[in-house]
Structures are given as C-alpha cells and as structure tokens.
Amino acid sequence: MSTPAIVGALDPVDDVILAGAPRPDVPAPEPFVVREAAGADLTAYRELRRAVFVAEQGLFARSDADEHDLDPRTRALLALSPEGEVLGGVRIHPMAAPGEPDLGWWRGSRLAVAPEARSFLGVGATLVRAACALAEASGALRFDATVQAQNERLFARLGWQLREHLVLHATPHVRLEWPIGRIQALADATKAALASVLEDAAAGAPRGFLGDDGAPVPGSDLVAACDAILPSMVERDPEWAGWCSVLVNVNDLAAMGATPVGLLDAVGARDASFARRILRGLTAAAEAYGVPVLGGHTQFGVPGQLAVTALGRTGAPVAGGGGAPGQQLRLTADLGGAWRPGYTGGQWDSTSHRTSAQLRAQAGVVPILAPTAAKDVSMSGLIGTAGMLAEASGCRAVVDVAAVPTPRGARTADWFTCFPGFAMLTAESHRPDDATLAALPEHLDTAVIGELVPGRGVGLRWPDGTVTEAIADTVTGLGAA
C-alpha cells in the first residue's frame, strides 16, 4: 500500500526537543514531504540512522540494525526535501517476531532527523504523526514507542501517553503509547445512542433481559428476535442481504439457547424483480437453517428495505447480562470461510459454504455450554459485544488478545471489529469439561479469551501483561440488565 505524501510544516517544538537553541542565522528551509521508503531512499535512511545512533550518539557500537529490519512487514517513512534529500525517517513494525502472527501490537522506532534539518523544520513531529496514521492503517490496535527521555515533551504534545521510565544503552528513555480509538469509535457509532433512543420502550423489556439479543414472550416458552438489514446493503447485494437477515436472527435466538421455529419478513423494493432477489437469498437461508418463513409484508415502489422477525422456543432463556466478576469469557466461532467480496475487513462469511447440518448445529452451542450469559457477536464487533455483555452484567471485560481464535488471513483489528458469520461470546463460572467441549460442532473453534472483573468498559491484555483501553465506559448506556 502506498503512503500519501504529507507536507511538512514549521514546528518550533522540534527545535527545542531535538536540536537545542534556535539558530537565527539559518534561513527557513523549503517544504518537505513524507512518504514510504523504498529502494535507494531506504538505504539512505539506514545510513542516516547509523550516523545518528552510532556515530553521533554512541547508543550502538557498530550498527543499530535489528531483526525488525529483516521483517517484510516493517515499513519506513521518510521526510524528503524537494531535491530528494533524506531529512529524517522512522520505521513501524509489528512486535511479533518475523514469521509469527501479527496480534495488532505495533511499535514505532529508529526516529532519526539529520542535523541540518533540526531547526524549525517540524520533521520529527511530522514523521511521528505520519507513523501513527500508517500504524492504524496497518491494523494496529496498540502502538507504542520507546524514545529518549529528552523527546518526551514532543510526543506528549502530539497526544502520546506516558507508560514508564526506563534506562536503555545507559541513557534515560520513556515508553509512550499512542491511543488508538478504532474499537471505541465503532461502539460509539453503532450502540452509544441506544439508551437515549430506547428510554421509554425499554420499560417493557422482560426483567433481566434489557438490551438482550431476543426477548422472552411472557407466559410462554417463546423467544422473539428482530433485525433490520442496512438499506445500503439491501440495494448493493440483495441476495446476500436476504441470507444475512435469516443468519442474524437465528444467531440472536441461538444466543438465548432457543431453537428457531419461524420467521416473518418485511420487504421493501422498487419493483417485483428486486423483491424476488431479496427473497431468493432469504428463502435459501431459511431452508439451510431449517426454519420456515411463516409470512410477512412486501411493498413495491420504495427503496430497498428488509427486516425479519424470528420466533424460537426454549424453557430456559439465557440472558446477555447474567455474568459476574470472576467469570471467564469464552468465544466459540466459525473461523472457516473468507471475507465477503466487497466487505473485506467488515464481514466474514463463514456460512454460505456450510452444510445445512452444520448451520443447524450452531443453535446448540449455548445449550451445550450452559453459560451464565451469552451474546452473539454483532455490529459492534467482538470487543463491542464483550462490552455489552459486561455492561449488562454490571462489570468490566478484559480480553487476552493472544487467546482469541482468529481466522488465517484476517488481521486482528479487523476480526475484533467485523461482523462474523457465527461467533458466540459466553460467560462461564467454571470451565466446561472435555466431554462438554467435545459435544460442540466440529467446525467451530472455542477458547477462553478473557474474564469479567469489577469496573466498566473493555480492556485488551497483551502478551507483556499491559492492558490498553478499548472501550472506556459503557457501550449502550442501558446499564445492568
């Protein structure tokens, strides 16, 4: 992926932090651009690093090169003058060793600025900003850097947060972290307004099931669920929208331990031909999942719209808010399949290639595991869903990033924020025995991925024990169920 050029601007902070006192005799330099390094420019960057870190600062005896320089995932950004002179550079790379899976933990390092470019150029600050943007675009959920203590003020001014003080190469350093808001932004966009919108309607929710995936029907063993498909998706891919309208409702019932018994659909379409395309996908999915379409409503002459209501049965519905501090979080998911064409990073299609028997077996996950709480992963992604389960349970979730089963070919950041075909998040007070786990459908992966603890929000726990904030507070604002 190419990196857009970033035009540098004057930044007096760099002068103070990186170069000492201003030099009034030095004329203002020409503008510069920042772009990704390749070829001869990459060689020039490494020569600059050697000049700064070996010859000038003496931090290394002969070379500052390390294993990350050999990792093909490592990317370097350069600040170049109009004449192509390398004024500075920085690299970013995953913290996983070469050949190991990238968990979404990236680091910025080897920030070097040429001596002649340290006065009122803004090279260092611009490179840091560009590195943050490139790291997020590369799938980072954690981005940190260990820099010399004299540069702490620059990074703090740019929004970095101090983690710790340490000494490296006999020189004071600080470890800093760039806050990445991808997960928080998704939760805010998809769920944050629910409490204010549903304030009056929520009064009718059955006790203990506020904000749940489905609703037990009072006086019966029925569970009702309802989902609407994004109109843009209906217009763009009506057959897939029809399929997904069944998928999401069956999953909602499955999260409560209910067996589906029927569907009702509401279809809006510009004409009969378009309505047939929607219903073709819907009926194919209904047949695959073994649930009949009992009826519904169809309207022509309107933009594409689709909503489906599902009915299921269970004598013991499982609430999404039944968890408690001290319980484990488990993910049971189908890692098979691939990104849906046109929805890379957003929708993982694990269902369209499965047999009807496999799809129907997924409804048995919650009854087999008998958890205290369950939610299927929805539009807010895995971490947002963990936040909703924790919020409804009156506590906080901590997810161990390295423990999460993740499909090959999916970046951790995408898997944590996408809509998967089937992924069930459950809370359990004790680990199920081997016989119970063996009873799960063979095509599913299952693993304990974290825990519920006192507090609010969701933290991501990394292999070094550091916990970063993914969601700072509640997800929906609805509170404990």
Side-chain angles (χ1 to χ4, degrees), residues 213-214 223-229 242-256 258 260 262-265 282 289 291 306-312 376 419:
D213 296 300
V223 173
C226 182
D227 265 298
I229 303 300
W243 178 278
C244 288
S245 70
V246 176
L247 179 159
V248 295
N249 276 283
V250 170
N251 285 352
D252 282 347
L253 294 177
M256 303 193 77
L263 303 170
L264 298 171
D265 64 73
L282 189 154
Y289 280 95
V291 53
L306 176 61
V308 169
T309 297
L311 299 175
D376 74 299
F419 183 85

Side-chain angles (χ1 to χ4, degrees), residues 123-365:
V123 170
T126 305
L127 284 169
V128 171
R129 293 188 185 103
C132 294
L134 182 57
E136 294 198 46
S138 300
L141 289 174
R142 175 184 177 185
F143 187 50
D144 60 17
T146 300
V147 305
Q148 294 180 47
Q150 64 185 12
N151 295 328
E152 180 182 353
R153 180 183 163 197
L154 167 64
F155 281 77
R157 179 180 178 273
L158 296 175
W160 289 63
Q161 299 168 352
L162 176 66
R163 274 290 184 177
E164 64 175 326
H165 293 270
L166 63 163
V167 175
L168 296 174
H169 311 290
T171 303
H173 283 69
V174 289
R175 185 164 68 85
L176 302 154
E177 182 180 293
W178 172 251
I180 293 179
R182 173 174 178 165
I183 293 173
Q184 182 72 64
L186 176 63
D188 290 345
T190 57
K191 302 295 181 179
L194 288 179
S196 61
V197 172
L198 301 178
E199 183 177 1
D200 295 330
R207 183 174 177 81
F209 293 91
L210 178 65
D212 231 311
D213 296 300
V217 178
S220 75
D221 64 352
L222 286 175
V223 173
C226 182
D227 265 298
I229 303 300
L230 290 172
S232 59
M233 182 176 165
V234 178
E235 289 286 353
R236 178 182 181 182
D237 197 347
E239 286 89 356
W240 178 240
W243 178 278
C244 288
S245 70
V246 176
L247 179 159
V248 295
N249 276 283
V250 170
N251 285 352
D252 282 347
L253 294 177
M256 303 193 77
T259 301
V261 296
L263 303 170
L264 298 171
D265 64 73
V267 177
R270 55 181 175 267
D271 53 36
S273 176
F274 195 82
R276 289 190 191 96
R277 295 180 63 189
I278 297 172
L279 292 169
R280 187 180 301 130
L282 189 154
T283 54
E287 181 178 352
Y289 280 95
V291 53
V293 179
L294 304 176
H297 176 76
T298 303
Q299 184 170 346
F300 300 131
V302 297
Q305 301 170 56
L306 176 61
V308 169
T309 297
L311 299 175
R313 289 189 183 279
T314 176
V318 177
Q327 295 184 358
Q328 299 180 133
L329 279 178
R330 174 179 295 276
L331 178 67
T332 304
D334 186 352
L335 307 186
W339 293 118
R340 178 72 182 178
Y343 299 91
T344 298
Q347 289 189 29
W348 184 261
D349 176 16
S350 66
T351 60
S352 63
H353 71 289
R354 291 297 183 192
T355 66
S356 179
Q358 289 173 323
L359 295 175
R360 298 180 191 193
Q362 292 172 173
V365 166

